[in-house]
Amino acid sequence: MIPVAFDYVRASTVEEAVAALGAAEEGKVLAGGQSLLPVLRLRLAAPTVLVDLAEVAQLRGVHLREGALVIGAMTTHAEVAASDLVREHAPLLALAAGTVGDRQVRHRGTLGGSLAHADPAADLPAVAAALDATYVVQGPAGRRSIGAADFAIGLFTTALAPDEVLVEVRLPSTAGWAVHYEKFHRTSQSWAIVGVAAAVRRDNGGIGAARIALTNVGPVPHRARTVEEALTGAPATPTAIAEACGPAAAGTAPVDDLSASADYRRELARVLTTRAVCKALGV
Ligand code: FAD
């Protein structure tokens, strides 16, 4: 289908983008277009103005500031996966970014676009939740920060106001943590039926701390706090890990769809969480 007609604004600063969104009857940011263009073509959205961020240089790149990793919203999945800084300070994100879609999608799609789109099956929102990301957004009144738990508020819905732009994502460093992203999907390039993001800190041969979040077991990423608590202080053995990961599906709200039933997703949550932690620790 052909999208409904819209005006096009190519912003060169975040301020220009915010002003254009504020002036529009219904404005939408255009990042990599990997999710938005299909949505427009299916006429699931009909914005009057598209505000393209492609030339906003301040939204690109990866930096280390005061021990935290700062990633510009327009940094592509391929750039995230290849960044030495991300590999060192957020190895889980680098790993997961390399599993998103195919090569073309990773070279066009952006971290900010994936997080702002808030697809329940997307990989990176769960990773950001596991890594305690802070989202920095800018609107007419300036910048504000939103914690990972408060950013995605429902199916394809975030705390972003219509005239706000996601500017950057900040992640506390997890340098040296053992990580794995376990994605169950039908083909190598398809979306996760369930995905598990796991980061584990070793401590005297056991597990000192754990951060676990799941994708596609509810409308928003699910942080598996019960599992994290059970893993903390446990020995790094397959038996102890399997026991701690038993309640991985507790508190999730999966749905039945063409890919899997809700019950199957709950079982996947348990199995994949165990697998992700074992693979992270190499046991
Ligand atoms: P766009 O499509 O441009 O925008 C998406 C939405 O976010 C729009 O509503 C837009 O207004 C909003 N937005 C974008 N940037 C901002 C911003 N800075 N501030 C405020 N709002 C913003 N994703 C996965 O996680 N895993 C997969 O396996 C996967 N496979 C894919 C396979 C295919 C074939 C395709 C086409 C996509 C796939 N994706 C997958 C989605 C991909 O990751 C997209 O890159 C991502 O969902 C959207 O990023 P984008 O930069 O293209 O954003």
Side-chain angles (χ1 to χ4, degrees):
M1 246 197 282
I2 298 172
V4 171
F6 52 80
D7 288 332
Y8 173 84
V9 174
R10 182 161 264 227
S12 32
T13 62
V14 177
E15 290 72 19
E16 259 180 55
V18 168
L21 289 170
E25 187 186 329
E26 193 187 333
K28 270 252 170 233
V29 162
L30 173 64
Q34 298 302 291
S35 296
L36 182 57
L37 294 188
V39 164
L40 297 186
R41 290 177 71 94
L42 291 167
R43 298 204 176 186
L44 296 171
T48 54
V49 179
L50 281 195
V51 181
D52 192 345
L53 300 181
E55 290 196 346
V56 185
Q58 69 199 108
L59 292 179
R60 281 191 183 272
V62 181
H63 310 276
L64 198 60
R65 265 186 236 141
E66 294 158 9
L69 197 63
V70 180
I71 308 177
M74 286 296 286
T75 310
T76 64
H77 306 315
E79 289 164 345
V80 167
S83 159
D84 287 339
L85 275 179
V86 181
R87 286 181 183 195
E88 183 180 351
H89 293 282
L92 177 59
L93 178 62
L95 187 68
T99 75
V100 171
D102 52 37
R103 199 174 282 267
Q104 287 107 311
V105 170
R106 292 195 292 275
H107 278 273
R108 296 291 309 178
T110 64
L111 177 62
S114 178
L115 300 174
H117 191 55
D119 189 318
D123 301 299
L124 305 185
V127 173
L131 296 182
D132 287 327
T134 299
Y135 294 75
V136 180
V137 310
Q138 187 167 332
R143 291 191 175 195
R144 67 186 177 112
S145 297
I146 307 172
D150 300 319
F151 186 74
I153 55 177
L155 207 62
F156 297 101
T157 311
T158 69
L160 275 168
D163 56 357
E164 282 183 322
V165 170
L166 175 59
V167 173
E168 63 193 24
V169 179
R170 296 186 186 166
L171 301 167
S173 175
T174 42
W177 286 51
V179 301
H180 189 71
Y181 185 66
E182 184 73 14
K183 179 167 169 174
F184 185 81
H185 48 178
R186 291 200 190 284
T187 66
S188 64
Q189 293 167 2
S190 58
W191 294 73
I193 293 173
V194 172
V196 179
V200 184
R201 185 165 50 76
R202 289 190 184 85
D203 188 23
N204 293 328
I207 297 172
R211 296 188 191 162
I212 314 283
L214 284 75
T215 194
N216 221 1
V217 289
V220 298
H222 174 72
R223 184 83 185 256
R225 301 265 184 200
T226 314
V227 171
E228 293 178 359
E229 280 164 25
L231 283 169
T232 305
T237 63
T239 312
I241 291 167
E243 193 180 326
C245 294
T252 61
V255 292
D256 295 318
D257 64 17
L258 288 176
S259 302
S261 67
D263 281 346
Y264 187 61
R265 283 198 162 88
R266 280 189 204 97
E267 180 62 2
L268 280 178
R270 183 186 65 76
V271 172
L272 300 184
T273 304
T274 306
R275 201 176 288 168
V277 177
C278 285
K279 283 189 180 172
L281 290 166
V283 297

